[in-house]
Amino acid sequence: MAQVESLNCMKDITIVHVGKRNFRVPTASLPSKYSSCKDIYVDKESDSSNIKAGSTKEEEITLELKIPRYLYGYIIGRGGSTVKQLREETKTKINLPYHKGPVTITGTKDKAEIAKKRIEDIIAPYNNNTGNEKSINDTKIEDKNKDNVEDYETIVLNIFWRLHRIIIGSRGSTIIQIQEETKTRITSLSYDNLIVISGTKDGVEMAKKRIENIIESYNKTENEKSNDTKIEDKMKDDVESFKESIKDIEVIILKIPGRLHGSIIGWGGSIVRQIKDETKTGINALSDDNLVVISGVKDGVEMAKKRIEDIIESQNKPESEKSNDTKIEDKKKDDVESINESIKDNEEITFKFNVPRRSLGLIIGRGGSTVRKIKDETNTKITALSDESLVIISGSKDGVEMAKKQIEDIIESYNNAGNEKSFNNNTGIEDNKNENIGLIRESIREKKEVNERYVTESLDIPQPLHGLIIGRGGSIIKQINYETRTRITLLPDDNLATISGTKGGIERAKKRIKEIIESDSIFKLPPTHFISLPLTDPHIQRKVEDFKSNVLELNLQGVDKSILINSHSLHITIGMLHLYRKQDIEGAVKLLKDLSKKLNELIGKRTLVSMLSGIAVMEEKDPVKSHVLYARVEEPAGQNTIEKLGEFLIDKFAEAGYLRRENRPLKLHVTLINTRHRDEHSASSNNNNKQEESNRYPFNAVSILNKFSNIEFGPNRLESIHISKIAEYDENGRHRSEGGIKLS
């Protein structure tokens, strides 16, 4: 029976509620005993005489249940099915607050009690302490150790990040199953190579065993599947690198009331980010489990723990204690010394010094613009602690020196400006400011710290290769950083990368970068060079110039001088090369020279001659939309030496990783027209398709083919092979050669 609150404000009208429908009825038309009622409720399943006045409406109540957050999933059910069914069957409102607060049930007394009993029955198998929960004193960390569940404990497993997806399973199916079977809560922190398991002692052990079995089974399966020793060695290297990287890593767990997590995290994560940066640790706040997990080197972990405990302690202090300036000042000094000790073992070079508080704003700049500019220009990290009037600079030796000099200049400029304004009135100020600068410089000299464990090395990486190392959304470079425990910085305007970390970590990072550059992924980039057989015969060049003049006389749409190939750069292309590094160019040239003897053996005592006869387009199926038109390359009757020579070169350069072999036969050709060379001016004047923004649009080759399909350009003696640079030419108009060999 639906009951609707009356909003009736009309005189002599009564609202009659029948099921879910409402009717306005003149009061005079109702029996006299209902003449004083504003609302009447009618049970539509009974006879019409069963009419109840609004005054008999049953009162609703709200019950509260204190239920551990990790049990909510059992009450909610898959897709909310369980709680939805409960609400419908008991006609109550059930609210499960996500962050904090008890579970509430609102409805009539009988229905609310039924819903409460149903919820208790659902969670009973998973909760050993329901109905007898211990109260938690949120004001002290120690009291949180007395958890809601008897024998409740938390452990952390160090697990290589690549294996987390196996533990989680498709859409979380595996980890959900483990949680349900072991009555535990499992959290994956893949970015820190950690798995956190919380629950009863027996449940945690069961979950740990299940996870270890999954990893063991996965590794065994992968080893059986892999017949490729390189893949197997790579997996072993990854595991060894991970073991090496976590050898000195320590993990601790703090049990902290959920209401205090906000104080640790800070606005927009500012506080926890600062603690992580200063202590070089990983900090994960699991508010649902009232846990904070800290991982890193021992000194850093201890420092982070102390910082967090100090934050909690300050939150729990009475206001009178908070206002004790002397204690706060001592606390700040302790913090500074602790930060200095923490940074000592985690940066190449660190300077830290006190600056006048009035100068900090100038160093930081509007919206952080000044300090950000200094960091970008010097490739350093700068932290300004305004409460302590402290500035910390970390980075390479040269970068720190540059940043230090810029900050000193800012302070000195400020002091000089102030001195000029006040010199006539107060000459003592100048002496004080100069003395301050002297103290700052002395502080820098005295507090210089060098950590010999951590170093920075530079690596020459051409800019076009940076994208391969960074990956989509930075995924690859982040992965390398985590695996090798290093920091890789790719400078956007330079062919340079810097790697900071331990010597072992840097070597592992360099190895990973080398694997990426030398893998097939480089072939996703455009080619840089090609193997060419230049055509230098003057007779051929004159013939090509005549052909070009005849083509231009046809006045074809889309055909202009810019797309016609310079006769001095005519060549037979054997294969496209990807040579982005200087060492790759040198290696390709050396390989060609090493093959010189074998190539001349293939040619023999005959002169290597090519015949250019007839023309064709690369897009043979649709000559109306052509981009490349070429001359066919033939050899004197009975010979195929050029083809054999080309296949041999392709095989050798593919083996060396400079060339990607294509699954099609070698097509010997000499390009005569290529729309790739179309310049901007001719594109704008000839292209009528306004939707086509690219300069490279096709032309109709039908007329050219009809008139010149059987054109003979004549023979040409091939005298050399070169490694040529794409789109670069020498003073004679030939493709610039990186190196080549003479043919006999």
Side-chain angles (χ1 to χ4, degrees):
M1 181 176 69
Q3 295 190 354
V4 181
E5 278 192 35
S6 173
L7 300 176
N8 176 34
C9 60
M10 300 176 64
K11 188 177 180 181
D12 298 328
I13 292 293
T14 298
I15 304 296
V16 178
H17 306 272
V18 182
K20 294 183 178 180
R21 303 183 65 186
N22 308 318
F23 302 91
R24 289 185 174 88
V25 179
T27 305
S29 66
L30 295 171
S32 58
K33 62 179 180 178
Y34 300 114
S35 60
S36 62
C37 297
K38 291 184 178 181
D39 291 85
I40 298 176
Y41 297 88
V42 179
D43 189 347
K44 64 180 180 179
E45 295 179 0
S46 62
D47 58 63
S48 59
S49 64
N50 186 14
I51 300 175
K52 300 179 183 179
S55 59
T56 63
K57 180 180 177 181
E58 191 172 355
E59 185 178 354
E60 291 186 346
I61 65 169
T62 298
L63 300 179
E64 294 185 352
L65 291 176
K66 292 184 179 180
I67 297 173
R69 178 68 181 81
Y70 73 92
L71 294 175
Y72 278 18
Y74 303 108
I75 302 169
I76 296 171
R78 184 180 293 275
S81 58
T82 304
V83 72
K84 184 177 179 181
Q85 184 179 354
L86 275 175
R87 288 167 178 160
E88 291 176 352
E89 292 179 356
T90 61
K91 307 297 182 187
T92 58
K93 296 178 182 178
I94 302 171
N95 181 38
L96 294 91
Y98 184 79
H99 293 293
K100 59 182 178 179
V103 175
T104 59
I105 306 170
T106 303
T108 62
K109 184 176 181 181
D110 292 343
K111 301 293 187 183
E113 290 291 343
I114 293 172
K116 177 184 176 184
K117 181 67 168 62
R118 291 279 301 278
I119 290 174
E120 289 174 344
D121 290 342
I122 289 170
I123 66 174
Y126 311 106
N127 187 11
N128 296 330
N129 207 23
T130 303
N132 187 29
E133 296 173 348
K134 299 178 182 180
S135 62
I136 302 174
N137 182 356
D138 280 348
T139 60
K140 293 184 179 180
I141 299 175
E142 304 89 80
D143 292 339
K144 180 63 189 71
N145 292 330
K146 302 173 183 179
D147 213 310
N148 293 343
V149 182
E150 189 177 359
D151 297 329
Y152 194 82
E153 69 171 25
T154 299
I155 66 169
V156 176
L157 304 179
N158 264 309
I159 295 179
F160 192 36
W161 68 271
R162 284 187 179 174
L163 299 174
H164 282 230
R165 63 183 179 84
I166 310 300
I167 298 165
I168 294 170
S170 177
R171 297 185 179 182
S173 57
T174 305
I175 200 170
I176 289 172
Q177 183 181 357
I178 298 173
Q179 289 180 113
E180 290 177 351
E181 292 177 359
T182 61
K183 311 300 183 291
T184 57
R185 179 177 177 83
I186 304 172
T187 305
S188 165
L189 307 174
S190 58
Y191 38 84
D192 283 330
N193 293 310
L194 302 177
I195 292 281
V196 182
I197 310 174
S198 303
T200 62
K201 187 174 181 180
D202 292 341
V204 168
E205 286 300 322
M206 289 171 60
K208 177 184 176 185
K209 183 65 177 171
R210 285 289 306 278
I211 290 172
E212 289 173 346
N213 289 342
I214 289 171
I215 294 171
E216 184 179 352
S217 174
Y218 172 76
N219 288 334
K220 184 178 179 181
T221 304
E222 287 298 308
N223 288 334
E224 288 176 356
K225 284 197 302 186
S226 174
N227 295 322
D228 190 341
T229 56
K230 289 184 179 179
I231 296 176
E232 191 171 348
D233 292 342
K234 176 71 171 59
M235 291 173 63
K236 289 178 181 178
D237 289 344
D238 283 345
V239 173
E240 290 302 319
S241 297
F242 173 66
K243 289 178 180 178
E244 179 68 22
S245 66
I246 66 169
K247 190 165 60 176
D248 298 325
I249 297 297
E250 183 173 296
V251 181
I252 64 171
I253 302 169
L254 299 180
K255 294 187 176 181
I256 295 174
R259 72 174 181 84
L260 296 176
H261 280 217
S263 302
I264 298 167
I265 295 170
W267 182 264
S270 58
I271 296 177
V272 73
R273 188 162 53 245
Q274 183 179 358
I275 298 173
K276 288 162 70 174
D277 289 345
E278 293 171 356
T279 61
K280 308 302 174 191
T281 57
I283 302 175
N284 296 280
L286 309 179
S287 56
D288 290 346
D289 293 325
N290 294 331
L291 300 176
V292 172
V293 181
I294 309 172
S295 59
V297 295
K298 185 176 180 181
D299 292 343
V301 169
E302 288 298 324
M303 178 55 203
K305 177 185 175 185
K306 184 177 184 300
R307 289 292 302 274
I308 291 171
E309 288 175 343
D310 288 344
I311 291 171
I312 302 303
E313 185 179 351
S314 67
Q315 291 294 315
N316 293 326
K317 276 185 179 181
E319 291 299 321
S320 59
E321 290 187 25
K322 289 182 181 179
S323 62
N324 188 335
D325 293 338
T326 305
K327 290 184 178 180
I328 290 176
E329 194 61 35
D330 293 341
K331 164 91 169 50
K332 288 178 179 177
K333 289 179 180 178
D334 290 342
D335 278 351
V336 174
E337 292 302 317
S338 299
I339 293 171
N340 295 342
E341 288 300 317
S342 172
I343 297 176
K344 183 177 180 180
D345 291 330
N346 290 279
E347 287 291 344
E348 180 193 2
I349 293 179
T350 299
F351 284 100
K352 47 195 181 304
F353 54 94
N354 293 98
V355 300
R357 183 170 296 185
R358 63 181 178 273
S359 301
L360 279 174
L362 295 171
I363 296 168
I364 295 170
R366 184 182 293 274
S369 58
T370 304
V371 74
R372 188 161 54 245
K373 182 181 178 183
I374 297 173
K375 290 195 290 186
D376 291 343
E377 291 178 355
T378 62
N379 197 28
T380 57
K381 179 179 176 181
I382 302 173
T383 304
L385 306 179
S386 57
D387 290 342
E388 292 82 13
S389 297
L390 184 72
V391 171
I392 300 173
I393 311 174
S394 303
S396 66
K397 183 178 179 181
D398 293 341
V400 170
E401 287 294 334
M402 290 170 60
K404 176 201 71 172
K405 180 68 169 60
Q406 290 191 35
I407 291 173
E408 286 178 350
D409 290 344
I410 290 171
I411 297 171
E412 192 164 359
S413 298
Y414 170 77
N415 290 337
N416 289 338
N419 289 340
E420 290 174 5
K421 289 180 181 180
S422 61
F423 180 80
N424 295 329
N425 297 324
N426 190 356
T427 55
I429 293 177
E430 183 178 0
D431 295 335
N432 290 337
K433 290 180 177 178
N434 290 334
E435 185 179 353
N436 282 341
I437 295 173
L439 290 172
I440 291 168
R441 289 174 175 166
E442 184 65 25
S443 174
I444 292 172
R445 284 193 293 270
E446 290 178 356
K447 296 185 178 182
K448 176 181 174 183
E449 294 179 355
V450 180
N451 182 352
E452 294 182 357
R453 284 185 58 203
Y454 279 74
V455 295
T456 297
E457 290 189 16
S458 298
L459 197 61
D460 183 24
I461 302 177
Q463 239 180 306
L465 301 180
H466 287 195
L468 298 178
I469 298 165
I470 294 170
R472 186 181 293 274
S475 58
I476 296 177
I477 196 169
K478 287 177 184 176
Q479 175 185 333
I480 298 173
N481 284 337
Y482 280 123
E483 289 179 3
T484 62
R485 301 293 174 179
T486 58
R487 185 179 67 186
I488 302 171
T489 304
L490 294 166
L491 304 180
D493 298 324
D494 201 350
N495 296 332
L496 190 67
T498 60
I499 311 174
S500 301
T502 62
K503 289 185 177 180
I506 289 174
E507 288 304 317
R508 292 195 298 273
K510 287 165 68 176
K511 181 181 177 184
R512 289 295 309 281
I513 290 172
K514 184 181 179 185
E515 288 173 355
I516 292 170
I517 293 174
E518 295 180 356
S519 70
D520 286 348
S521 60
I522 197 169
F523 296 119
K524 297 176 183 177
L525 301 174
T528 60
H529 296 75
F530 60 97
I531 306 172
S532 70
L533 296 169
L535 274 62
T536 58
D537 191 296
H539 174 74
I540 289 286
Q541 294 176 356
R542 283 195 301 272
K543 279 276 192 179
V544 169
E545 287 298 324
D546 292 342
F547 168 76
K548 288 164 57 178
S549 299
N550 292 332
V551 168
L552 290 174
E553 288 176 1
L554 296 175
N555 291 321
L556 300 175
Q557 181 69 37
V559 177
D560 59 76
K561 188 176 180 180
S562 67
I563 67 173
L564 302 177
I565 301 301
N566 186 337
S567 59
H568 292 288
S569 64
L570 296 174
H571 62 274
I572 300 172
T573 302
I574 300 299
M576 309 304 291
L577 306 174
H578 290 72
L579 310 175
Y580 281 93
R581 300 178 298 174
K582 183 179 179 182
Q583 65 219 57
D584 293 332
I585 296 173
E586 293 171 351
V589 172
K590 183 177 183 301
L591 175 61
L592 179 61
K593 290 180 177 179
D594 290 343
L595 297 174
S596 176
K597 184 177 179 181
K598 181 64 177 176
L599 291 170
N600 283 300
E601 287 177 1
L602 286 173
I603 297 170
K605 295 182 179 180
R606 298 186 304 272
T607 300
L608 190 61
V609 177
S610 67
M611 308 285 293
L612 300 190
S613 177
I615 58 173
V617 294
M618 288 293 184
E619 309 83 0
E620 292 180 1
K621 293 182 180 179
D622 191 7
V624 175
K625 296 181 179 180
S626 299
H627 283 284
V628 177
L629 184 144
Y630 64 90
R632 296 188 183 92
V633 176
E634 298 177 353
E635 292 187 71
Q639 298 181 21
N640 63 345
T641 308
I642 300 176
E643 185 176 347
K644 287 181 180 179
L645 182 145
E647 291 290 350
F648 175 76
L649 285 169
I650 288 173
D651 285 341
K652 294 302 179 181
F653 276 81
E655 288 175 9
Y658 301 131
L659 177 148
R660 187 174 198 172
R661 172 175 279 283
E662 298 180 357
N663 294 322
R664 59 182 180 181
L666 174 64
K667 179 184 283 189
L668 297 175
H669 67 282
V670 175
T671 302
L672 300 177
I673 300 177
N674 192 339
T675 59
R676 188 180 299 278
H677 301 293
R678 191 187 304 278
D679 61 36
E680 186 176 352
H681 174 73
S682 63
S684 60
S685 61
N686 288 283
N687 186 9
N688 292 328
N689 185 359
K690 301 302 181 183
Q691 296 180 344
E692 178 63 71
E693 296 181 0
S694 172
N695 290 348
R696 193 181 193 199
Y697 57 89
F699 65 93
N700 188 341
V702 173
S703 298
I704 302 174
L705 294 173
N706 289 340
K707 189 170 184 179
F708 304 105
S709 59
N710 297 319
I711 188 172
E712 295 287 341
F713 292 98
N716 181 89
R717 180 178 177 180
L718 301 175
E719 299 176 337
S720 61
I721 304 176
H722 290 264
I723 304 296
S724 300
K725 184 79 169 67
I726 293 176
E728 287 192 17
Y729 305 90
D730 61 19
E731 63 278 5
N732 297 316
R734 302 187 186 98
H735 283 277
R736 185 168 66 80
S737 174
E738 303 285 2
I741 60 171
K742 291 284 186 181
L743 298 177
S744 59

